[in-house]
Structure formats: C-alpha cells, structure tokens
Amino acid sequence: PQKAGKNAPDAPGGIIRVAKSGDGSDGSTWGKAYTDIQTAITAAVSGEEIWVAAGIYTPGIEISDTFQLKSGVAVYGGFAATETVRSERDWLSNLTVLSGDIHGDDINTNGVVLTTTDIITPNSIHVVYAFGHNPPITESTVLDGFTITAGQADGGNLDQKWGGGFYCYGSGGTNECSPTLENIVFSGNYA
C-alpha cells in the first residue's frame, strides 16, 4: 500500500516533505513535515522524492555529520511549504541552504558563507556525502535546488581533505558515484 500523503504525480514513488514549520511526525504533508533532512533521507526508499522547504539546514552537531544521499532518492529544495506538485516550487525565491556551520557562528549572508575566511570554528567535514558502493549512486539519485555552504574538509585522513561542500565516493567496477546535480550553488566551502 502507498503511504499516506504520497500521491503527487511528479513522484511515482511518493513524496516526503521537510520544513522548519513541520511537526516532525512523518513527512506526509507540509504540516506533518520532518524538520530534519537526514531523517527524511533515512526514511526514504529508492524512487521517492524529498521536498525541502526554504530554510537553513545543518546535518548535525559533530564535524563528521553530513547529509548522506541515498541511491535512487531525489532531494529537491526551493519549496514554500504550500506546493502540491514539484513544478510549483521556486528554488531561486525560496532559498534552501545546506550548511556545514554546525556551531552557527560563521560570518554569513542569509545563512550562506561567501568565503572560506568567514568560517569561524570547525564545521562539518562534508556538507553532503554520497557513497556509491553497493548500491551505486547513479543519475536517479538527485540533488536539486540548494545552496551548499560552509563545508570544511581539513581533517587528518585523505578523504577528510576533499569535498568540503560535496564528497562523492565511487570508483570502478560496481562502485559508482554519478548523481544528478541541478540548480546547485556552492559557496564558501573549504577543502
């Protein structure tokens, strides 16, 4: 059976909503929207879409926390939390920020760090992370309509020195990391 509230024609697999104004219950409507993007990603299955309303979202409180994409799940930002079909969203007017500023102390404009010199304390190593190994991350994994900012990949391990804003891991064989990225702005990320 189809989950409640997941019937918009844009997403044959269903829709999960995220909004700062949601009650966090199940993501089935804007009123019941999750307030945390990673919770929605964890709940999603391949073929589903996650719609994210305007706001500033951080992946957690530790520098290792990240928004980890899931194979086959599409994540769209730029909603006003009133839309019933994806084509109604306006990602330019409804700024949706994925920020590594886990301490909330970076110098920013509307939540967006403009230069890496504006990063104050340690931030998330990778704001967004995609691990393309069993299952691979292919073009059916979508990230669309976000500003990604304030990643700080300056850790001790080699993989902690790459991809402050977005780290995509996959190389050869059944490993692949080739998501679809559209309408994305990267600003003030360090690697």
Side-chain angles (χ1 to χ4, degrees):
Q2 194 174 35
K3 295 179 184 174
K6 298 186 177 205
N7 57 6
D10 313 69
I15 298 167
I16 299 172
R17 292 161 185 82
V18 177
K20 294 288 187 176
S21 60
D23 71 6
S25 61
D26 66 12
S28 62
T29 66
W30 286 116
K32 294 181 177 184
Y34 289 116
T35 57
D36 176 73
I37 295 172
Q38 192 58 51
T39 300
I41 293 171
T42 300
V45 298
S46 183
E48 290 187 316
E49 292 186 2
I50 297 170
W51 292 3
V52 184
I56 302 165
Y57 299 86
T58 56
I61 59 172
E62 303 293 332
I63 63 171
S64 59
D65 290 336
T66 185
F67 296 110
Q68 186 163 349
L69 300 182
K70 186 182 274 188
S71 180
V73 174
V75 185
Y76 293 94
F79 290 89
T82 58
E83 296 84 355
T84 57
V85 292
R86 184 175 2 109
S87 59
E88 293 175 329
R89 79 180 173 129
D90 182 348
W91 73 276
L92 292 171
S93 296
N94 299 309
L95 183 64
T96 311
V97 178
L98 304 180
S99 175
D101 184 14
I102 56 176
H103 299 290
D105 60 357
D106 291 350
I107 300 167
N108 67 77
T109 302
N110 298 319
V112 179
V113 173
L114 302 178
T115 176
T116 58
T117 58
D118 292 336
I119 294 173
I120 304 301
T121 56
N123 287 0
S124 291
I125 295 170
H126 311 296
V127 178
V128 180
Y129 182 82
F131 184 68
H133 178 72
N134 198 22
I137 299 290
T138 64
E139 65 277 351
S140 66
T141 305
V142 177
L143 189 64
D144 183 330
F146 293 95
T147 296
I148 300 172
T149 190
Q152 189 179 18
D154 64 354
N157 298 329
L158 188 57
D159 66 336
Q160 294 175 338
K161 295 181 184 288
W162 298 340
F166 182 80
Y167 186 74
C168 194
Y169 180 80
S171 59
T174 60
N175 300 334
E176 178 182 355
C177 196
S178 302
T180 300
L181 301 180
E182 294 183 314
N183 305 312
I184 300 289
V185 174
F186 289 95
S187 179
N189 294 290
Y190 178 86

